[in-house]
Amino acid sequence: MVFHSLWTASFRNLADSESYTGEKDVFLVGENGQGKTNFLEALYFAAYGSSFRGARDREIVRDGEKDFAVQAKIVQEYGKTGDPYPAELRIKYEKGKKSFFLDGKRIEERRSLLSVVPCVVFCHEDMEFVSGSPERRRWFFDQSLSLCNVLYLDDLRNYRQVLKSRNAVLREAVLSRRRPAPEILDALDLQLVAYGLKLVEKREKEAVLFSGLFGPLFREVSGISGLRVRYTPSWKFCGLEEGVSFLAEKREADLSAGLSLSGPHRDRYSFYRELEEFAAKASTGQRRLLALLLRIAQARRFSESTGKRPVLLLDDVLLEMDGEKRRRFLSVMPSYDQAFYTFLPEEPYRRYVRGGTENALVYTVESGVLRLRGEDT
């Protein structure tokens, strides 16, 4: 599946217009601050209903406006075609609320979008998966699992809902200085452990599979062998009864803190080589490469598990690479149905066309307006 076109209205600084995107490689060329990244963000928003920048919906609305919308037409293969569109995605943000539409019909579950046009984005913020907080690494691996198994989102959502309820009870106990009825926390503990153990089981399996792909990939590009992903769950038990007993033992500590101090929301991922944590001692260049290869591994895992190829969104990720690193990057790039690149005007973007220049689009981006190279301005 590929993006045939994208229409936006009041989305950041982008012009209210529709742009044809139905080729294998699409290059967005322009100076910084002109809207290249905003266009990638709009594509991602159409695919997933959220921003890869972590922006809140209200922050996306163009200055002076209150609402925004994006609409993407999706086709099976790139290239201009007269065939009917197999899918049309539309997302509206109006009066502080977001609505999702697939082929004109409103959908309630955002997960219904995930399999339409799966995207993997490469951006500067990916460094947070290496050098940032445990939450950011957990977010990355949760995203990877969701791409490979949409049902994982149900497990994650169920766990978070129970966790939210449990934390609300604990917080109220602190504020009111009154202990909640034991049966309330007993019921919540049972649900929390049941849903949490599902997450732990799937995370453990995925960490092994991901590490088996990522380690050799990192060795191929960097020459450093032995790197692996380590998953460390917060809970050490593996059974429902044992888990409920564990939470009962820790209840006093949770009541004192006013929140749940253990569980999958406290799980950790790290990168180890031999017996040492790798990222802490790695150079800036090594950490940057590690972040880039995490995304390549994510795309490969998606294809490996689903038999499909993703759409790649690459936001200036090649700017800081020298010629040799760029060559290595291209040699390990995952297979894709379509790729969008952003480049500064002086960058040699044409060397990255993989399917021949006849399968590429080159847009100049200025003040939020996309113009095909060669068009009259």
Side-chain angles (χ1 to χ4, degrees):
M1 290 287 195
V2 302
F3 289 98
H4 182 269
S5 65
L6 179 73
W7 171 84
T8 63
S10 299
F11 192 99
R12 294 200 186 268
N13 80 323
L14 296 179
D16 294 350
S17 62
E18 184 174 29
S19 299
Y20 169 68
T21 58
E23 301 295 344
K24 187 173 182 67
D25 293 297
V26 182
F27 298 90
L28 307 172
V29 182
E31 299 291 349
N32 291 328
Q34 298 304 304
K36 305 188 302 294
T37 300
N38 293 345
F39 193 83
L40 296 190
E41 184 182 23
L43 291 167
Y44 190 91
F45 205 97
Y48 295 135
S50 62
S51 166
F52 65 77
R53 293 159 142 175
R56 298 177 181 177
D57 295 335
R58 64 174 179 269
E59 296 171 344
I60 295 173
V61 183
R62 182 191 301 145
D63 290 345
E65 303 291 341
K66 296 180 179 180
D67 310 316
F68 72 84
V70 296
Q71 180 174 296
K73 295 175 181 177
I74 313 300
V75 293
Q76 296 284 354
E77 298 178 354
Y78 63 85
K80 294 181 179 179
T81 175
D83 296 336
Y85 301 116
E88 184 174 271
L89 300 169
R90 183 180 177 91
I91 300 175
K92 297 194 300 183
Y93 176 77
E94 294 180 323
K95 298 180 180 179
K97 294 184 178 180
K98 196 159 44 181
S99 302
F100 308 96
F101 300 85
L102 178 59
D103 295 330
K105 297 180 180 179
R106 184 165 181 163
I107 57 176
E108 301 301 327
E109 295 287 344
R110 194 176 71 171
R111 74 170 195 176
S112 301
L113 303 175
L114 299 186
S115 59
V116 179
V117 55
C119 296
V120 173
V121 63
F122 297 70
C123 60
H124 292 297
E125 288 79 4
D126 293 349
M127 280 288 286
E128 296 178 6
F129 305 143
V130 179
S131 305
S133 66
E135 287 78 10
R136 291 302 293 156
R137 281 186 287 283
R138 209 164 41 240
W139 183 91
F140 171 80
F141 284 102
D142 280 342
Q143 184 189 61
S144 295
L145 259 165
S146 301
L147 283 171
C148 296
N149 180 5
V150 175
L151 295 179
Y152 176 77
L153 281 177
D154 289 338
D155 298 329
L156 191 60
R157 180 181 59 185
N158 290 335
Y159 175 81
R160 286 174 173 171
Q161 286 177 343
V162 176
L163 178 66
K164 182 178 180 181
S165 298
R166 189 176 190 270
N167 282 341
V169 172
L170 295 171
R171 186 166 52 253
E172 177 60 26
V174 171
L175 295 174
S176 66
R177 298 184 180 180
R178 297 176 58 185
R179 294 179 65 86
E183 57 269 22
I184 294 177
L185 284 176
D186 288 345
L188 290 171
D189 288 357
L190 183 63
Q191 295 178 65
L192 193 73
V193 173
Y195 290 132
L197 286 177
K198 290 183 179 181
L199 296 182
V200 173
E201 180 183 6
K202 292 179 180 179
R203 286 175 176 179
E204 285 179 333
K205 291 180 179 178
E206 181 60 24
V208 172
L209 292 171
F210 194 97
S211 187
L213 190 156
F214 179 70
L217 177 63
F218 192 81
R219 181 183 66 242
E220 180 181 351
V221 177
S222 70
I224 299 174
S225 62
L227 191 67
R228 62 189 180 89
V229 176
R230 175 184 289 184
Y231 167 61
T232 307
S234 169
W235 288 340
K236 306 303 179 184
F237 54 81
C238 57
L240 184 62
E241 185 176 343
E242 184 183 359
V244 171
S245 297
F246 174 84
L247 288 187
E249 293 174 4
K250 301 296 182 181
R251 184 170 294 178
E252 289 303 320
D254 288 353
L255 282 168
S256 296
L259 67 130
S260 303
L261 297 174
S262 68
H265 61 290
R266 295 295 184 95
D267 289 353
R268 289 178 175 266
Y269 291 88
S270 52
F271 308 101
Y272 268 75
R273 183 171 184 259
E274 296 176 350
L275 299 178
E276 293 187 342
E277 206 280 326
F278 179 78
K281 295 184 178 181
S283 67
T284 300
Q286 288 173 331
R287 290 197 295 269
R288 193 171 288 124
L289 179 62
L290 199 154
L292 184 64
L293 295 181
L294 278 175
R295 285 298 196 183
I296 292 178
Q298 184 181 62
R300 288 189 177 185
R301 269 294 297 142
F302 167 75
S303 296
E304 185 181 83
S305 61
T306 66
K308 301 176 182 179
R309 296 179 299 186
V311 171
L312 306 182
L313 309 176
L314 300 102
D315 187 24
D316 286 346
V317 295
L318 303 178
L319 280 179
E320 298 180 359
M321 294 185 189
D322 58 30
E324 176 60 20
K325 288 181 179 178
R326 292 187 183 191
R327 185 193 65 77
R328 290 185 180 183
F329 171 80
L330 290 177
S331 72
V332 298
M333 258 188 88
S335 297
Y336 59 86
D337 275 348
Q338 188 178 34
F340 291 79
Y341 304 79
T342 63
F343 282 98
L344 293 172
E346 63 270 17
E347 288 292 306
Y349 55 87
R350 291 192 180 275
R351 70 176 58 173
Y352 301 103
V353 179
R354 301 181 75 186
T357 55
E358 69 277 7
N359 296 325
L361 283 172
V362 181
Y363 278 107
T364 297
V365 184
E366 185 175 357
S367 299
V369 177
L370 273 67
R371 293 188 177 90
L372 279 172
R373 279 291 176 100
E375 285 186 338
D376 292 334
T377 58

